[in-house]
């Protein structure tokens, strides 16, 4: 009898992934952490039964959260990652040799230790990179207290439940802005708008109050089922969203690494929102 891992994120829509082999299944200090193997997606990490990342499609999510903000900014030296315990986001950000310092604030040490051991294909050498400063604490507490300032902030969080809930609040976003350098930009994991319109609408609505430019962009990650995923975008520099494909291409070429999803053309296209998503963030 095959075993299946059922995701219970949405009320009327569920995703099941076949479990070929369970590698780990236990409670950490904050959440239930399970890792299993699936013939199509490779190793799959779930937290409280919700798919966080898979070896097969993590490149889409991590490339599309890391590169648009860094390449649009054009001179990002200090990057803040909130969440990102699997190390995939840090790995992608650290491909930019122009980035001098990455602070990664993860609430759950168990996710980091576990990912180092079981997900080396995702975190690769990120945790050993001397530019990475790993802080184990609540991201909301960190941005409320830090003296640090950042050019790009990436909120690579779980969904707004459990420990992740605080990372979708106005107080948190206000403190994220407090920690942004002039011309800085923040991007957020904001769910699948076809199924989770409320959280995107809330984030962009708060960003509209905090920033001169607030929007989102899209990418489709197979295991975040229900349609394209939205990434919130907030900055006081409206020009960042207007950077030309030519300029992005020059910067991307200078960065000198390969990608499997991100291209400057895909970057520009990601911000072309269909009317149903425009309606969500109106
Ligand atoms: N790609 C995933 C997604 O789209 O849902 C997110 C991946 S990453 C594993 C999410 C991380 O956010 C987890 O490691 C979790 O422990 C962390 N996290 C949740 N709440 C947090 C908080 N308040 N402060 C810092 N990290 C948090």
């Amino acid at each position: 009898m095959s075993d299946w891992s059922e995701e219970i994120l949405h009320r009327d829509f569920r995703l099941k992934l076949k479990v070929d082999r369970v590698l780990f299944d236990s409670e950490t200090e904050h959440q239930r952490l399970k890792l299993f193997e699936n013939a199509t997606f490779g190793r799959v990490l779930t937290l409280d039964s919700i798919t966080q990342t898979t070896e097969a499609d993590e490149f889409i999510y991590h490339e599309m959260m890391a590169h648009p903000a860094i390449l649009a900014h054009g001179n990002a030296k200090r990057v803040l990652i909130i969440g990102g315990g699997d190390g995939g986001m840090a790995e992608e950000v650290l491909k930019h040799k122009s980035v001098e310092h990455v602070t990664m604030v993860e609430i759950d040490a168990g996710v980091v230790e576990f990912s180092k051991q079981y997900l080396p294909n995702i975190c690769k050498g990120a945790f050993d990179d001397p530019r990475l400063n790993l802080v184990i604490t609540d991201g909301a507490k960190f941005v409320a207290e830090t003296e640090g300032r950042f050019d790009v902030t990436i909120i690579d969080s779980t969904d707004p439940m459990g420990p992740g809930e605080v990372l979708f609040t106005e107080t948190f976003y206000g403190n994220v802005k407090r920690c942004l350098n002039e011309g800085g930009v923040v991007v957020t994991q904001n769910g699948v708008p076809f199924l989770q319109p409320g959280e995107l609408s809330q984030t962009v609505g708060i960003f509209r109050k905090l920033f001169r430019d607030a929007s989102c962009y899209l990418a489709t990650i197979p295991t975040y089922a229900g349609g394209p995923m939205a990434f919130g975008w907030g900055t006081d520099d409206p020009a960042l969203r207007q950077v030309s494909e030519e300029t992005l291409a020059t910067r991307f070429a200078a960065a000198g690494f390969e990608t499997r999803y991100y291209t400057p053309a895909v970057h520009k296209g990601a911000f072309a929102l269909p009317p149903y998503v425009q309606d969500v963030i109106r």
Side-chain angles (χ1 to χ4, degrees):
M1 170 72 168
S2 297
D3 184 21
W4 292 81
S5 173
E6 185 173 41
E7 182 174 272
I8 56 172
L9 177 60
H10 307 299
R11 196 187 56 239
D12 308 318
F13 175 87
R14 289 195 174 181
L15 173 75
K16 278 187 180 181
L17 286 169
K18 186 157 173 289
V19 177
D20 294 325
R21 185 161 72 108
V22 177
L23 294 170
F24 190 89
D25 186 359
S26 178
E27 292 290 338
T28 68
E29 185 188 348
H30 295 278
Q31 45 213 339
R32 169 126 176 253
L33 191 156
K34 183 175 179 181
L35 183 107
F36 60 89
E37 285 180 344
N38 172 284
T40 300
F41 289 98
R43 291 188 173 185
V44 179
L45 168 66
T46 70
L47 291 174
D48 293 337
S49 94
I50 297 166
T51 304
Q52 296 300 307
T53 193
T54 84
E55 285 182 322
D57 67 4
E58 59 84 18
F59 71 96
I60 305 173
Y61 174 81
H62 292 126
E63 287 181 18
M64 285 305 285
M65 271 202 95
H67 304 318
I70 292 173
L71 292 172
H73 183 284
N75 189 31
K77 296 191 179 342
R78 301 182 65 82
V79 176
L80 172 62
I81 299 169
I82 303 291
D86 51 75
M89 197 60 68
E91 195 268 335
E92 207 64 42
V93 169
L94 290 162
K95 285 177 181 171
H96 293 268
K97 294 309 172 216
S98 55
V99 168
E100 296 172 355
H101 192 275
V102 178
T103 298
M104 175 177 153
V105 183
E106 164 59 51
I107 197 168
D108 194 331
V111 178
V112 172
E113 290 317 309
F114 173 87
S115 299
K116 283 180 186 173
Q117 183 179 355
Y118 289 98
L119 296 174
N121 292 335
I122 293 180
C123 59
K124 299 185 178 79
F127 291 112
D128 300 321
D129 191 308
R131 293 174 291 165
L132 180 70
N133 170 35
L134 174 63
V135 179
I136 300 296
T137 191
D138 179 344
K141 180 174 182 299
F142 178 87
V143 293
E145 298 171 357
T146 184
E147 297 300 313
R149 292 297 177 265
F150 306 95
D151 301 306
V152 168
T153 295
I154 299 171
I155 318 294
D156 180 15
S157 71
T158 44
D159 292 282
M161 57 191 68
E165 191 167 5
V166 70
L167 305 181
F168 291 79
T169 63
E170 186 156 357
T171 301
F172 169 68
Y173 290 140
N175 283 320
V176 165
K177 174 164 186 182
R178 182 184 71 83
C179 305
L180 273 183
N181 282 323
E182 189 175 341
V185 52
V186 53
V187 294
T188 62
Q189 181 281 101
N190 246 124
V192 170
F194 190 82
L195 296 171
Q196 301 159 282
E199 70 183 70
L200 177 62
S201 176
Q202 178 178 305
T203 294
V204 178
I206 296 169
F207 279 15
R208 285 230 165 79
K209 289 192 269 185
L210 291 172
F211 295 105
R212 289 184 56 212
D213 186 38
S215 188
C216 70
Y217 61 100
L218 304 174
T220 299
I221 299 102
T223 46
Y224 303 153
M229 169 175 264
F231 303 101
W233 177 273
T235 179
D236 278 340
D237 184 356
L240 294 189
R241 198 153 50 99
Q242 310 306 326
V243 174
S244 72
E245 185 177 327
E246 293 68 29
T247 300
L248 294 171
T250 302
R251 292 174 181 172
F252 183 46
F257 55 79
E258 300 291 319
T259 50
R260 295 177 57 210
Y261 189 94
Y262 179 89
T263 71
V266 166
H267 174 149
K268 296 300 287 180
F271 283 88
L273 303 178
Y276 88 93
V277 176
Q278 292 178 34
D279 289 344
V280 169
I281 65 169
R282 196 172 296 287

